[in-house]
Amino acid sequence: MVILAGVAIFLIVQAAPAIAANWQTNASLTTGPTANQASFWTYVAPLIWGTVFVSAIALVMGAPVAIGIALFISHYAPRRIAGVLGYLIDLLAAVPSIVFGLWGIFVIRPFLLPLTVWLNHNLGWIPIFGGQASATGSTLFAGAVVLAVMMLPIITSISREIFLQTPRLHEEAAFALGATKWEMIRLAVFPYARSGIVSALLLGLGRALGETMAIALIVSPSLKFWVQLLTDGQNSQTVAANIALNFPIADTLQRQALIGTGLMLFVILIAVNLIARTIVARTGPGARNKRAQRKARQLPPTDPGVIATADAAAGPVGATTVATAEGVE
Amino acid sequence: MTASIASRKSKSPRGPIVNTLTSGQLPRFVELYTLAAALLVGAGILALVGFNVVGWLVVSAIVYLVVLGVMSSLVENRRKATDRVVRGLVSTAFLLAIIPLVSTLATVIARGIGVINWTFISTSTSNVFDPKTLAVVQTEGALQSIVGTLIITGMAAAMSIPIGILTAIYLVEYSLAGNWMSRTVTTLVDVMTGIPSIVAGLFAFSLFSLLFGPKAFSGFSASVALAVLMIPIVVRSSEEMLKLVSMELREASYALGVSKFLTIWKVVLPTAIAGLVTGVMLAIARVIGETAPIFMAASFTNNFNSNPFSGPMQTLPVMAYTGYKFPTTNIQGSLDSAWGAALLLIILVVILNLIARIVARAFAPKGLR
Amino acid sequence: MKLKNLAVAGTIAIAATVALAACSSASPTSTASPAAPLSGTITSGGSSAQANAQTAWAAAFQAQNSGVTINYDKSQGSGGGVTNFLSGTYDFAGTDAALTSDQQTQSQTLCGAGGALDLPVYLSGVAIIFNVPGVTKLNLDSASIAKIFNKKITMWNDPALVALNPGVTLPSAKVTPVVRSDGSGTTNNFTTYLSQVQKANWPYPASSAWPVTGESAQQGGSGVVSTVAAGKDTIGYADQSSIAKATAADIQLGTTSTYVTYSAAGATAAFTEAASANPSTKGDLTQALDYTKISGTNSYPIPLLSYDVVCTTFKTAAQAKLTKAYVGFIDSTIGQAVAAKNAGSAPLPASILADVKSSLASVK
């Protein structure tokens, strides 16, 4: 924790001169990457917008798919295949972001270009698809797709692990009550795994918010508030990519300004985390009773008399057939 | 579900009693038939507007889901229809996601495999100068990067895995839920996940400059940067995994008079080991591919250096990045070596992953699924 | 977890053994070196423009002095190079922009009262590259360059472009300008050129960050080159030495109707015409470039210059000797020839090399 305090102090000390400086008259801040800004806040605001925007889009695209895959592996796929698939996904979580960046440049960018034109042409009346479509494919859309792909393995690995931990007795109890497989998942798996899923989503979002190289390589940015995903050179820049792009050329004060934007990224992440924690607390299992206060030991209500889930896990798997038969009215 | 329970309660059986075991069921392989039909229909629709593979798959998937849903709700009931549609959706999500992921791997392998040979792995990049022609011939090698990656990531892991797992154990096992200490730690960990990697690199470098003077580029300072990034990931995932260890297991252990420490050591950790290893591997995988903090803290070099406490070191991701961004005059050659480095990095991660899995299996209790 | 750590430790141990083996086998490549061979390590970094030249220089220098290790970190960029230099991390910094007066003042805490010296080491040119199907040769005057990159000319068959290129069929297609998304010395050079030569059509000041939005911005010179090559009807700018097989346009010379193709000799000639010494301290060789003075028939209108920055007084005499020897080698006729051969740069004029030699003599 000392490390964290160190990092925080370091950030604040480094960022303070740039935040306090006069951005309209300072010789260093009026040139180069920080030129033409009224103050630190007008500089950082579009960056924050861009970061949140692209991450949100990536999350919207990636999260359902990721949870879908996790469910597929944990509850739908045949056991033998599931092991292999799980391994494959873990492996993909290990693909470094620089590789995704290169892949985005050489594969995704040309691949999405026709789709970009098509979306812009046919759905241009929806604001986010409007504007002058890119001719090179370096759009925020391409960046968001790559981010979504990068998030998939992380969210999947963690939620799959958690789905697998659902006590077998809960699942079988649901089947015994006549639930279909989906109802069983909604009744037994999701409530059990909720905090874990939120945690997984947060880690995925964390990766997206802080992602540097892939965005820096793919997106063609500008310092603007912009929602049109398919344009070129208009997209809002993200904080991390902006740091990576301009850090090498920046002089001391400009570097401090960039570190200041990093500090703001920090603040966003705290906010995101707080919101997510609140959601977990509100909607976790047994939120309506006093268990909400025992968040840290969020264990599901269990049947009395159950000694160990390990025993149950070794039990028969034949519940499905019984359940389908009884599931009919 | 609540709605369906309610509707079940309110409806009493009406009409002639049918055999509930067989009635209202779609035939067995209906999903396969529907899929085949959907693929045909999809091809038909796409043929009208211009065929492409991606569009075909997307249209077919939509047709499949709609048809299956409608059929099932007509013949069976709404709940079963939902179940079938969700099954379809989940499978589709899986297939949809596999495509980009496999494409990534395929691209890296296809572009990197040509570069990798024993010379590439076993030598560092060398530049040979010919005084007669003044030409400098560069031979790309990855040894300096492989060694750098192993040392830097290894040291980062050695620092952050114990800290991370101990913090998680504290959070789950020792701290009283909701007390200020555990809340502070949790919040701090959450915040730490948000440190932009480039900032971590800067921080480590500045720290080492303060401690050891200005020429502070070293593999060790890079591994400190990576540890800063890694600790919160390890804590987050281990915490989640430890929480999932069923309370009954702990209580059973306590009931036998086992001490708290031994319970954690012999019961909780082995039960959660698979998840812990997954979490740790994810964390390693996350940091092993970091680029920005490495070149902030360990600088860049093509020279071989195996001393983590002095001098610049190179890692595979930095090699891949610089190969793409700062190509030599032989642009294609630099790009090739970038892909080669990327592929090597993935191979390295696979090897580490395998080792971790074997370790996890050795420690895990029997009978867990 | 214990086993895991053991495994890690094992890996490190193995790596170390491999390292030792590699070290012992790698050394005997050196050729016989004259006089007392130098030894030691030079830590440096900065501008990526001179990176390939630095690789070549280091290889050539190490061929003569096998005991020397030279690390040049090209990922830092000019700003990073100067920052690290000023904090004492680097023995010398590569930068595309000479030290500002603030930085010169700062350097006195590190380098003593004499401050730091900007020594020109690398000369090249900014190329305008394009990819228009069917067009292999393109003449551009400075006004249309400014208008294209300022989005005033948006079609390839714009009358202004057609008039400049008789006999070339320009398509009726939109122009896609490709620029740098990261701050860079190349951008600084190019915008300086535009702001000096075309004030009317280029209302922006010189800047290391690209000032116009709404254009395809790519990371790194390599990003611009590959995007121009991969796209259609694209145009971009990049360091001449990094454009590989891309097609470069001929640039109008001053206000004449001569259009100049890049050549190394042309860049050297242009530099000689445009440069005037603008020292920030005694012995400093900062060059102010006035692009409007470029007038020789072969002179390339957009030369690009990069410096190495060294202290006037080093912390240790040994390090001073080593760094002086290396920079001295860079700014020798042979050093410039090595860079020209391997990095595609243009040799600096002999007068500058002589100046560098005398400035270096005062470094201790």
Side-chain angles (χ1 to χ4, degrees):
Chain A
M1 295 310 111
V2 177
I3 302 171
L4 178 73
V7 175
I9 292 168
F10 168 78
L11 274 180
I12 294 169
V13 168
Q14 287 279 300
I19 297 176
N22 185 333
W23 282 55
Q24 278 151 338
T25 56
N26 187 295
S28 167
L29 290 174
T30 46
T31 57
T34 52
N36 303 322
Q37 299 294 333
S39 74
F40 175 72
W41 306 110
T42 60
Y43 179 59
V44 79
L47 293 176
I48 291 180
W49 161 249
T51 310
V52 173
F53 186 54
V54 71
S55 305
I57 290 171
L59 194 65
V60 166
M61 289 196 284
V65 179
I67 293 175
I69 311 173
L71 268 185
F72 181 81
I73 295 176
S74 68
H75 284 86
Y76 284 95
R79 186 61 52 80
R80 274 160 204 270
I81 302 178
V84 178
L85 292 177
Y87 182 71
L88 186 67
I89 298 287
D90 278 359
L91 170 62
L92 287 161
V95 175
S97 57
I98 178 75
V99 174
F100 278 114
L102 291 177
W103 173 73
I105 281 272
F106 289 104
V107 179
I108 275 294
R109 206 170 67 164
F111 173 75
L112 284 180
L113 196 51
L115 181 65
T116 304
V117 174
W118 185 85
L119 279 176
N120 183 260
H121 192 253
N122 293 302
L123 296 174
W125 47 273
I126 304 175
I128 58 169
F129 296 133
Q132 170 68 49
S134 162
T136 56
S138 298
T139 60
L140 203 65
F141 181 55
V145 168
V146 173
L147 275 192
V149 173
M150 290 172 69
M151 287 158 76
L152 283 182
I154 295 190
I155 303 178
T156 303
S157 305
I158 299 176
S159 18
R160 174 190 53 120
E161 206 64 50
I162 289 159
F163 289 155
L164 281 176
Q165 301 268 2
T166 313
R168 181 50 66 93
L169 275 180
H170 294 191
E171 297 178 3
E172 286 175 2
F175 281 136
L177 289 170
T180 60
K181 191 152 201 169
W182 168 237
E183 286 163 351
M184 180 280 286
I185 289 169
R186 267 176 54 210
L187 275 177
V189 179
F190 279 168
Y192 185 83
R194 185 164 283 140
S195 93
I197 293 177
V198 172
S199 199
L201 289 181
L202 272 186
L203 277 178
L205 189 63
R207 177 156 191 184
L209 286 171
E211 178 47 40
T212 313
M213 287 307 168
I215 292 284
L217 284 172
I218 296 166
V219 178
S220 157
S222 73
L223 284 173
K224 277 184 178 177
F225 289 99
W226 207 255
V227 290
Q228 298 176 343
L229 287 176
L230 307 178
T231 53
D232 204 346
Q234 308 270 22
N235 311 292
S236 307
Q237 174 68 295
T238 72
V239 172
N242 184 57
I243 297 180
L245 286 179
N246 288 314
F247 205 84
I249 199 74
D251 63 24
T252 314
L253 195 60
Q254 290 168 353
R255 286 191 161 202
Q256 289 170 341
L258 292 174
I259 293 174
T261 63
L263 185 65
M264 293 303 122
L265 181 57
F266 232 68
V267 174
I268 302 176
L269 272 140
I270 300 174
V272 168
N273 272 305
L274 286 181
I275 294 167
R277 293 252 155 198
T278 322
I279 294 173
V280 177
R282 289 255 173 82
T283 58
R288 278 174 215 91
N289 59 40
K290 285 172 189 162
R291 278 177 191 277
Q293 286 148 21
R294 292 179 50 201
K295 198 154 56 75
R297 297 186 178 216
Q298 209 168 54
L299 294 168
T302 39
D303 298 342
V306 179
I307 305 295
T309 45
D311 286 353
V317 201
T320 327
T321 41
V322 182
T324 12
E326 290 184 359
V328 188
E329 285 183 19
Chain B
M1 184 59 203
T2 41
S4 61
I5 289 174
S7 70
R8 187 158 22 140
K9 272 182 188 162
S10 65
K11 278 184 200 163
S12 52
R14 59 209 135 125
I17 296 169
V18 289
N19 181 353
T20 54
L21 291 176
T22 55
S23 73
Q25 289 248 51
L26 286 171
R28 255 184 99 195
F29 292 109
V30 67
E31 288 173 340
L32 287 181
Y33 299 141
T34 321
L35 183 60
L39 287 174
L40 283 178
V41 174
I45 295 175
L46 259 281
L48 296 179
V49 291
F51 188 83
N52 69 63
V53 176
V54 182
W56 176 49
L57 292 177
V58 170
V59 171
S60 308
I62 296 171
V63 170
Y64 168 74
L65 290 176
V66 169
V67 169
L68 194 66
V70 170
M71 273 179 13
S72 177
S73 57
L74 287 180
V75 181
E76 300 174 333
N77 54 29
R78 217 189 64 220
R79 291 170 50 217
K80 282 207 159 182
T82 318
D83 187 47
R84 283 187 193 274
V85 169
V86 169
R87 182 189 294 264
L89 268 181
V90 166
S91 312
T92 317
F94 178 75
L95 292 176
L96 188 75
I98 281 300
I99 296 169
L101 297 176
V102 168
S103 148
T104 312
L105 282 187
T107 312
V108 175
I109 292 171
R111 298 202 182 210
I113 199 81
V115 187
I116 293 191
N117 52 40
W118 182 243
T119 325
F120 186 70
I121 298 174
S122 63
T123 55
S124 15
T125 301
S126 64
N127 295 293
V128 179
F129 175 66
D130 183 347
K132 291 194 197 75
T133 59
L134 298 183
V136 172
V137 180
Q138 184 164 46
T139 325
E140 297 278 0
L143 183 66
Q144 80 279 19
S145 315
I146 298 173
V147 172
T149 306
L150 286 176
I151 294 179
I152 292 176
T153 317
M155 288 178 36
M159 279 184 276
S160 39
I161 293 173
I163 297 182
I165 292 189
L166 289 177
T167 312
I169 291 177
Y170 168 77
L171 284 177
V172 176
E173 305 289 336
Y174 286 95
S175 76
L176 290 169
N179 82 352
W180 69 269
M181 182 73 184
S182 82
R183 260 184 297 146
T184 320
V185 172
T186 319
T187 319
L188 284 179
V189 168
D190 285 355
V191 174
M192 272 178 86
T193 54
I195 297 176
S197 55
I198 197 163
V199 170
L202 262 182
F203 163 73
F205 177 66
S206 310
L207 182 73
F208 276 72
S209 309
L210 281 179
L211 295 177
F212 303 113
K215 288 196 180 178
F217 290 127
S218 69
F220 187 59
S221 72
S223 60
V224 167
L226 292 190
V228 169
L229 295 172
M230 202 174 157
I231 290 172
I233 309 181
V234 176
V235 175
R236 277 303 277 261
S237 56
S238 327
E239 188 192 350
E240 228 35 82
M241 293 309 153
L242 292 177
K243 267 194 220 163
L244 286 173
V245 174
S246 142
M247 204 61 192
E248 289 84 12
L249 278 179
R250 296 191 182 94
E251 280 160 4
S253 172
Y254 293 147
L256 293 170
V258 180
S259 72
K260 184 152 195 170
F261 169 73
L262 272 183
T263 304
I264 294 170
W265 187 243
K266 295 276 184 195
V267 177
V268 177
L269 286 183
T271 313
I273 190 91
L276 290 179
V277 169
T278 306
V280 166
M281 281 319 299
L282 276 178
I284 291 185
R286 175 87 166 73
V287 299
I288 204 172
E290 279 295 348
T291 313
I294 307 280
F295 66 66
M296 282 294 138
S299 190
F300 164 88
T301 177
N302 267 336
N303 300 317
F304 186 88
N305 175 17
S306 62
N307 178 358
F309 297 102
S310 145
M313 273 180 121
Q314 199 187 23
T315 65
L316 287 168
V318 172
M319 183 173 170
Y321 174 67
T322 48
Y324 170 75
K325 182 164 176 192
F326 309 110
T328 60
T329 38
N330 175 7
I331 292 181
Q332 196 52 45
S334 295
L335 205 54
D336 286 346
S337 77
W339 286 109
L343 179 57
L344 273 184
L345 186 56
I346 293 179
I347 293 174
L348 204 62
V349 170
V350 172
I351 295 173
L352 287 178
N353 214 328
L354 282 176
I355 296 173
R357 285 195 170 239
I358 292 166
V359 172
R361 189 154 295 173
F363 279 104
K366 309 280 179 291
L368 272 188
R369 53 170 156 166
Chain C
M1 284 306 104
K2 257 187 188 164
L3 255 184
K4 176 90 190 63
N5 285 348
L6 267 182
V8 170
T11 333
I12 293 173
I14 292 167
T17 341
V18 173
L20 285 175
C23 274
S24 52
S25 68
S27 38
T29 45
S30 65
T31 51
S33 48
L38 293 159
S39 65
T41 301
I42 298 179
T43 312
S44 60
S47 159
S48 56
Q50 51 176 286
N52 290 331
Q54 287 284 357
T55 311
W57 286 326
F61 191 70
Q62 283 164 334
Q64 292 162 21
N65 304 280
S66 58
V68 180
T69 307
I70 296 163
N71 295 313
Y72 183 84
D73 184 353
K74 57 194 173 188
S75 63
Q76 297 284 341
S78 298
V82 170
T83 308
N84 283 334
F85 172 76
L86 290 177
S87 65
T89 310
Y90 285 160
D91 298 314
F92 73 86
T95 172
D96 299 342
L99 297 183
T100 62
S101 54
D102 275 1
Q103 288 165 340
Q104 184 61 257
T105 318
Q106 274 182 51
S107 71
Q108 290 175 359
T109 50
L110 176 77
C111 304
L117 306 177
D118 300 289
L119 307 172
V121 293
Y122 175 87
L123 182 63
S124 179
V126 177
I128 312 268
I129 50 174
F130 63 94
N131 184 10
V132 183
V135 180
T136 51
K137 188 165 166 29
L138 190 67
N139 288 340
L140 289 176
D141 63 357
S142 53
S144 22
I145 296 175
K147 284 179 181 165
I148 286 174
F149 282 98
N150 198 16
K151 298 194 291 186
K152 293 288 188 289
I153 292 180
T154 55
M155 300 297 284
W156 277 107
N157 60 355
D158 190 282
L161 295 182
V162 173
L164 291 176
N165 293 284
V168 178
T169 320
L170 290 164
S172 164
K174 284 183 75 71
V175 179
T176 305
V178 181
V179 301
R180 292 283 289 268
S181 61
D182 47 343
S184 96
T186 314
T187 306
N188 196 17
N189 217 288
F190 187 47
T191 50
T192 311
Y193 161 76
L194 288 173
S195 64
Q196 281 185 8
V197 179
Q198 279 293 332
K199 276 211 167 55
N201 295 312
W202 189 257
Y204 308 97
S207 164
S208 59
W210 186 251
V212 187
T213 58
E215 295 171 332
S216 183
Q218 304 294 331
Q219 186 186 13
S222 58
V224 172
V225 173
S226 66
T227 305
V228 168
K232 194 161 131 332
D233 307 321
T234 46
I235 185 165
Y237 64 90
D239 184 342
Q240 171 68 37
S241 69
S242 71
I243 63 170
K245 297 188 191 78
T247 323
D250 293 351
I251 315 288
Q252 181 195 28
L253 179 67
T255 51
T256 66
S257 54
T258 310
Y259 294 87
V260 182
T261 312
Y262 175 84
S263 66
T268 311
F271 174 75
T272 318
E273 288 156 8
S276 57
N278 183 24
S280 58
T281 182
K282 186 173 173 294
D284 182 70
L285 291 173
T286 303
Q287 304 292 316
L289 293 184
D290 185 345
Y291 294 96
T292 56
K293 282 192 188 155
I294 295 171
S295 55
T297 42
N298 281 323
S299 303
Y300 186 74
I302 327 176
L304 180 151
L305 180 67
S306 193
Y307 302 92
D308 280 356
V309 183
V310 296
C311 272
T312 45
T313 309
F314 275 72
K315 289 269 184 289
T316 63
Q319 204 62 32
K321 189 177 167 215
L322 187 60
T323 313
K324 267 168 76 175
Y326 181 56
V327 179
F329 171 74
I330 290 175
D331 273 329
S332 64
T333 324
I334 188 144
Q336 290 296 309
V338 167
K341 169 93 182 170
N342 296 293
S345 71
L348 285 163
S351 60
I352 291 285
L353 297 183
D355 288 348
V356 171
K357 201 171 180 186
S358 64
S359 288
L360 272 179
S362 69
V363 170
K364 49 187 180 296

